[in-house]
Amino acid sequence: MEEIRRVGVLGAGTMGNGIAHVFARNGFEVVLCEVEQRSLDRGLETIRKNLDREVAKGKLAGSEAAAALKRIEGTLDRTALGDCQFAIEAATEKFEVKRELFKELDRTLPAEAVLASNTSSISITRLAAQTQRPGQVVGMHFFNPVPVMKLVEVIRGLATTQASFDTVKGLAEKLGKTPVEVNDAAGFVSNRVLMPLLNEAMFAVMEGVATAEAVDEVFKLGMAHPMGPLTLADFIGLDVCLDIMRVLEEGIGDPKYRPCPLLIRMVDAGWLGRKSGRGFYQYGS
């Protein structure tokens, strides 16, 4: 396969705009695709602000930031992905949504192109089976905030070829990231370990063991965590936490992955954390 220079990113939300940012910053042409103009504009503005922040901190020259921004083409038309040599989806953590995206990517991208998912929990093997190129489907799980965090979990599906795995691992390295090889299992490593911890912290609050503030203080002061588990859950998004817990519960089949009832109620109430202004804490005015 020829050297990858043009990549597609589906989704301009928190993860998608971060992924587009790091690809563009490292010299790749990026097609950033969204389903509505408002979301696309918000994603592009976030990239602009984050590049400006890097310039202010001396991490990037102003000319480099401007050049990176010019390398990003925002679009609502997925046919614009047709000449991309690689694409990664960063859509909502729901299999039904990702299934349709992978079918469309399979139809749209060149036959030799590798397709990746930024999923944090859904089976790569299952996503690959939606395409006619299962050997060319790989998990590429970035961490938030993408421009800052070094880790990328690179996940092999059952059919993933060594060449496709090596392509994605090499891309991660070109982005200045540290790729870690993980096999396909619900939640991979990161969320299989992290999400039950956050879920158990929620049980502690629900059962009156301690307040959210107290739980977080225990982890910050006693375990040297930079932020407590409930602050982190609010940062991730409680709806995302719930989606991942449900994937773990279904995929592993062990009742220890049962989502906390308080988490379910909060999501039903629209208390999704930072992005909604209220979760375990209140944000903004």
Side-chain angles (χ1 to χ4, degrees):
M1 183 178 177
E2 62 180 305
E3 183 184 6
I4 294 171
R5 299 309 310 159
R6 187 170 173 84
V7 304
V9 180
L10 277 78
T14 300
M15 298 304 295
N17 70 59
I19 293 168
H21 175 147
V22 297
F23 269 108
R25 189 178 64 191
N26 286 279
F28 292 85
E29 295 179 20
V30 180
V31 180
L32 180 60
C33 194
E34 252 295 351
V35 295
E36 61 176 14
Q37 190 65 45
R38 183 176 61 176
S39 298
L40 180 60
D41 291 343
R42 189 187 306 125
L44 290 169
E45 180 59 24
T46 299
I47 294 170
R48 188 177 295 107
K49 287 179 179 177
N50 287 339
L51 286 168
D52 287 346
R53 185 176 294 117
E54 289 178 334
V55 171
K57 291 181 177 180
K59 295 181 178 180
L60 207 61
S63 59
E64 291 174 319
L69 205 54
K70 285 183 179 178
R71 283 193 284 267
I72 302 173
E73 172 191 340
T75 183
L76 305 181
D77 181 8
R78 290 181 191 158
T79 62
L81 299 165
D83 59 350
C84 291
Q85 301 142 309
F86 171 84
I88 178 168
E89 66 79 20
T92 185
E93 196 68 359
K94 295 185 184 295
F95 174 73
E96 296 74 15
V97 173
K98 294 183 185 294
R99 175 181 60 198
E100 295 309 311
L101 285 177
F102 268 85
K103 287 180 178 179
E104 188 164 358
L105 285 173
D106 192 35
R107 291 191 299 266
T108 305
L109 267 74
E112 68 276 10
V114 172
L115 310 181
S117 175
N118 182 58
T119 180
S120 56
S121 61
I122 294 171
S123 167
I124 300 303
T125 299
R126 195 177 178 196
L127 291 173
Q130 312 308 310
T131 75
Q132 299 301 310
R133 61 180 95 191
Q136 294 160 238
V137 177
V138 187
M140 192 180 194
H141 179 208
F142 289 85
F143 288 75
N144 186 28
V146 178
V148 175
M149 300 295 278
K150 288 291 187 182
L151 175 64
V152 174
E153 284 183 311
V154 183
I155 303 110
R156 295 177 184 270
L158 188 62
T160 301
T161 66
Q162 186 64 44
S164 297
F165 178 88
D166 289 344
T167 293
V168 173
K169 181 183 177 186
L171 281 174
E173 290 169 342
K174 286 179 180 178
L175 299 179
K177 305 300 184 185
T178 302
V180 175
E181 180 177 350
V182 179
N183 288 321
D184 194 17
F188 315 128
V189 172
S190 55
N191 281 320
R192 181 169 180 162
V193 176
L194 173 64
M195 284 299 161
L197 181 135
L198 305 191
N199 197 54
E200 194 61 30
M202 296 170 195
F203 270 110
V205 173
M206 185 185 77
E207 295 170 2
V209 177
T211 64
E213 292 83 357
V215 170
D216 279 352
E217 281 297 286
V218 166
F219 276 86
K220 287 190 293 181
L221 301 180
M223 289 78 170
H225 287 204
M227 68 175 75
L230 300 170
T231 300
L232 179 57
D234 275 357
F235 180 71
I236 293 169
L238 300 186
D239 53 337
V240 176
C241 293
L242 179 56
D243 286 340
I244 295 171
M245 286 306 301
R246 284 175 166 156
V247 169
L248 291 171
E249 184 182 31
E250 178 185 351
I252 299 174
D254 191 317
K256 72 181 179 181
Y257 297 105
R258 173 175 67 99
C260 176
L262 176 59
L263 172 62
I264 296 170
R265 290 201 301 272
M266 291 175 74
V267 171
D268 286 346
W271 298 0
L272 308 181
R274 279 186 175 273
K275 61 187 172 186
S276 71
R278 182 167 185 174
F280 283 94
Y281 299 94
Q282 292 199 41
Y283 303 91
S285 57

